[in-house]
Amino acid sequence: MSHSRIELDGTSLTCDLVARAARGDVTIAISGAGVARARDARDTARRVADRRPVYGRTTGVGANRAVEVEWEDADAHGLRLMRSHAAGAGPLLPPEVVRAMLVVRANQIAAGGSGVDPGVLAALADALNLGVLPPVPVYGAIGTGDLTALASTALCLIGERSWLDGGPDGGGAVSPDAGLARGPHFPLDSADALAFMSSNAATLGEAALAVTDLRTALDASVVIAALSLLAVRGSREPYAPAVHRGQPVQAGVAAAVRSLLAYEDETPARIQDPYGYRAFPQVHAPAIEAARHADTAVARMVNSAAENPLVDVADAEVWHNGNFHIAGTGLALDAARLALFQTGALAAARLGTLTEPSFTGLRPFLADAEAASGIMILEYVAHSALADVRRHAAPAALGGAVLSRGVEEHAGFATQSARATGEAVAAYRVGLACEL
């Protein structure tokens, strides 16, 4: 990808831009309007905290929400929060996911609801442009705030934890033994500790990558299905415009197949084909719609001032709320994986027809000799991959958790849904490649 510049303004970040920033040779900048919004929120948060309790800023968190922080302990309070929350476990997240997290968090702060010192925006942009990463373990979030990931980032910013060297190469997971790097330093104020951590930026970043890859794979599926239809001399009747009246997305899939095969005018070999061909628009369209909905849900959140507490500059107030909970995002991703499995199953079914002489007019398994196995093993590979799609399709939202002495009694597990979506798409691509 050629070098380019992405400006974060708190309002216009898309899943595609998150993916470009996380994977490409991109310079990250912060807009002046975003900095101004963050500054206004910082000033408002300080004024409100001077006149009444503000969760996490003048009080403890979770079950300690009613415990006020004494003024003489204020400086140590935030540092204790960062240290206690930076306790994730497991292997470290892949570099592209951590970069996506930094992009999303910077954009959210620029939306103007956190109250964090706006100087942190330049520090986050510097980290991205220098190619350094905070160490972020896989385990630690359940869709109600990426506290462990952002606490680890905060400790890197204040210089207590080392940055890791991990450029925008989109590679695999960072090893705990990865080289240390010189990264930006920002003296995050103690009162800003929770405000900085109060975000689902890691989950949303991973979700943005997964949704971008999902939409790309679904677009490719239409082309590959059309090639299979051509290979088996399938009937074009199921793709006729009249069949899809009143179903715009379904009609779009059918129109794409018609367009791809417009210059091929073969007489169909059968009056009706198996479902892999005859019902492709009906099965694939819901996957496209689910992916679009997931894209919209994720993009909405990465451009939202969604912190708890939320700083409201217009009303000069701070609101304690449930914005930490991104149930809607997780549910949208759950639905996308279910729809993905359905269209993945059709791809595997079409692959089966490509091994059959009655469909291709060639030897079994497209082999070059009578006793040869040809492409037979591709069916095993495709169904192995499909089994993983099916495994990851289980709704993450069916989980449950009661935490922090019963105060935090629900979770949507959007974090697990985002991770499962990325893994399901990777498996789906393998099955699709087998058909191709």
Side-chain angles (χ1 to χ4, degrees):
M1 179 182 294
S2 61
H3 187 84
S4 60
R5 181 176 184 271
I6 294 177
E7 185 175 77
L8 305 178
D9 60 10
T11 63
S12 58
L13 189 61
T14 65
C15 291
D16 179 64
L17 285 174
V18 172
R20 284 178 52 202
R23 293 167 169 165
D25 184 11
V26 173
T27 296
I28 300 298
I30 310 295
S31 76
V35 173
R37 277 193 292 271
R39 184 182 302 114
D40 290 343
R42 186 270 315 271
D43 295 343
T44 299
R46 289 180 175 178
R47 286 194 295 269
V48 173
D50 284 342
R51 61 179 170 81
R52 74 174 181 89
V54 175
Y55 177 74
R57 194 172 281 270
T58 66
T59 75
V61 300
N64 293 329
R65 66 197 183 284
V67 181
E68 291 199 25
V69 178
E70 300 294 335
W71 69 267
E72 63 268 20
D73 190 43
D75 289 340
H77 171 63
L79 183 58
R80 283 199 302 268
L81 274 181
M82 289 184 277
R83 286 173 172 169
S84 67
H85 285 67
L92 300 184
L93 287 174
E96 64 174 26
V97 175
V98 181
R99 284 179 59 81
M101 175 194 76
L102 297 178
V103 171
V104 170
R105 190 63 191 124
N107 194 70
Q108 290 176 324
I109 292 171
S114 70
V116 175
D117 189 318
V120 78
L121 290 170
L124 292 173
D126 286 346
L128 287 160
N129 295 330
L130 289 169
V132 297
L133 304 172
V136 179
V138 166
Y139 301 117
I142 54 176
T144 55
D146 294 319
L147 300 174
T148 58
L150 291 162
S152 183
T153 306
L155 290 179
C156 288
L157 287 169
I158 67 173
E160 180 164 306
R161 181 167 286 186
S162 297
W163 296 94
L164 300 178
D165 183 14
D169 58 4
V174 176
S175 163
D177 300 321
L180 303 184
R182 183 181 297 277
H185 178 265
F186 183 77
L188 197 66
D189 190 80
S190 177
D192 286 343
L194 180 69
F196 180 80
M197 294 188 293
S198 181
S199 161
N200 288 283
T203 296
L204 293 169
E206 189 163 10
L209 296 175
V211 168
T212 300
D213 292 344
L214 172 60
R215 296 192 67 174
T216 300
L218 291 176
D219 286 345
S221 301
V222 177
V223 181
I224 295 168
L227 287 169
S228 293
L229 183 70
L230 179 63
V232 302
R233 290 177 56 204
S235 172
R236 314 291 171 82
E237 285 188 33
Y239 300 88
V243 175
H244 308 286
R245 287 181 185 142
Q247 301 289 340
V249 181
Q250 188 176 305
V253 173
V257 172
R258 289 198 309 273
S259 177
L260 287 163
L261 301 181
Y263 300 102
E264 300 290 341
D265 189 23
E266 291 188 357
T267 302
R270 292 157 295 279
I271 188 172
Q272 284 200 149
D273 294 307
Y275 285 3
Y277 303 100
R278 186 159 33 118
F280 174 66
Q282 289 81 359
V283 175
H284 198 66
I288 291 176
E289 290 187 278
R292 289 176 183 173
H293 174 59
D295 190 301
T296 299
V298 175
R300 184 185 301 125
M301 291 307 302
V302 302
N303 291 296
S304 293
E307 292 81 7
N308 172 47
L310 177 71
V311 179
D312 181 356
V313 174
D315 291 336
E317 191 52 272
V318 169
W319 306 102
H320 298 94
N321 65 81
N323 277 342
F324 52 82
H325 203 308
I326 53 171
T329 305
L331 288 167
L333 294 169
D334 281 356
R337 292 196 310 284
L338 287 167
L340 181 68
F341 170 73
Q342 290 288 309
T343 195
L346 274 196
R350 289 192 301 272
L351 176 59
T353 66
L354 298 175
T355 68
E356 283 291 336
S358 61
F359 281 92
T360 65
L362 302 171
R363 290 192 180 98
F365 308 114
L366 304 181
D368 60 359
E370 289 295 339
S373 298
I375 66 165
M376 180 183 68
I377 203 65
L378 287 186
E379 289 190 275
Y380 287 81
V381 175
H383 281 277
S384 176
L386 183 63
D388 258 16
V389 178
R390 181 172 61 247
R391 177 169 63 89
H392 291 304
L398 293 177
V402 179
L403 309 170
S404 195
R405 299 174 63 192
V407 174
E408 299 168 0
E409 76 281 27
H410 189 270
F413 294 92
T415 306
Q416 286 64 38
S417 189
R419 189 154 305 137
T421 303
E423 293 173 352
V425 173
Y428 175 80
R429 278 199 303 244
V430 172
L432 201 61
C434 290
E435 181 186 1
L436 179 60

